[in-house]
Amino acid sequence: MQKYDYLNRLVNTGCVAVVRGNDADEAVKTVDAVIAGGVTGIELTFTVPHADKALDELSEKYADRDDVLIGAGTVLDPATARLAIIAGAKFIVSPSFNADVAKICNLYSIPYTPGCFTPTEIQTALEAGVDLVKVFPGSVAGPAMVKALHGPFPQLAIMPTGGVSLDNLETWFDAGVTLVGAGSNLTAAAKTGDYAGVTETAKKYRAKLDEIKASK
């Protein structure tokens, strides 16, 4: 089933890079730099102007790479979700839960990962067919919340986003997350056009992720 194929590939990346940018060109260059460093889960946000064009370009460019999975982020409504899916997005991420976005994603057999912060929001998302929940903002929630959530929701797959860094990567995985989302801590060098710097940071993330995986 397509949805679970994409979901498994997403989980296997270990880390989703949240990519923003002032324009589509900057976003595409940032994505290329992140992938070159070995971080192959990509969430291209719809705060990027002409994000659908960037998605389309990246989806074609990496079509032959099974280890690369490109999705769309900051998807707030079903119209944006459909636009992203048509442009090639293999998963959809939102900062909050939206029932209509969940329906669109289910219709097209695409994983939907909404931002949730309370047990009520998480239960609502699970009832709507969500398989992976984004605990957001991770910087506020903290790893302790992940452990607490696994009490009432033992099967819950969690991707914290916001506040994930090289320094706390291991702490998140020890708390029981399925994978992580990393934004500015990973891509900051792109703001000054230092794409080589982005690749170097991504390599550090990849090395740390591999080290964590090997120790499990």
Side-chain angles (χ1 to χ4, degrees):
M1 188 178 176
Q2 175 183 282
K3 179 182 174 184
Y4 293 106
D5 173 46
Y6 292 159
L7 205 54
N8 286 331
R9 284 168 60 190
L10 183 62
V11 169
N12 284 339
T13 67
C15 178
V16 172
V18 182
V19 176
R20 303 188 185 278
N22 293 318
D23 54 47
D25 185 55
E26 183 186 318
V28 168
K29 284 177 179 170
T30 305
V31 169
D32 288 340
V34 168
I35 291 173
V39 174
T40 54
I42 303 294
E43 176 193 328
L44 183 82
T45 68
F46 261 76
T47 53
V48 175
H50 307 294
D52 57 319
K53 290 185 173 62
L55 263 174
D56 191 43
E57 181 183 334
L58 290 163
S59 297
E60 280 195 33
K61 189 186 286 186
Y62 294 101
D64 296 333
R65 290 272 303 267
D66 275 351
D67 59 324
V68 174
L69 203 69
I70 304 203
T74 324
V75 174
L76 305 177
D77 57 85
T80 306
R82 187 169 182 274
L83 184 66
I85 292 164
I86 287 168
K90 301 295 188 287
F91 61 97
I92 299 292
V93 185
S94 303
S96 52
F97 173 74
N98 181 288
D100 291 326
V101 172
K103 284 177 188 173
I104 283 282
C105 290
N106 286 335
L107 180 65
Y108 289 100
S109 193
I110 293 286
Y112 174 44
T113 302
C116 298
F117 198 76
T118 66
T120 302
E121 289 173 354
I122 287 166
Q123 182 167 332
T124 303
L126 293 174
E127 286 171 357
V130 167
D131 296 286
L132 176 67
V133 165
K134 174 172 106 167
V135 169
F136 177 78
S139 53
V140 179
M145 185 173 170
V146 173
K147 284 186 175 175
L149 286 170
H150 276 141
F153 302 107
Q155 313 305 328
L156 184 66
I158 295 174
M159 178 179 78
T161 304
V164 173
S165 67
L166 273 169
D167 293 336
N168 64 24
L169 209 51
E170 196 160 4
T171 311
W172 282 111
F173 279 97
D174 285 346
V177 303
T178 304
L179 74 164
V180 297
S184 55
N185 287 324
L186 172 56
T187 63
K191 286 183 180 171
T192 57
D194 179 15
Y195 298 107
V198 175
T199 298
E200 284 311 304
T201 306
K203 282 179 181 174
K204 289 174 185 170
Y205 270 80
R206 182 74 266 157
K208 190 71 182 168
L209 288 161
D210 289 345
E211 186 185 307
I212 292 165
K213 197 174 184 179
S215 68
K216 292 296 180 200

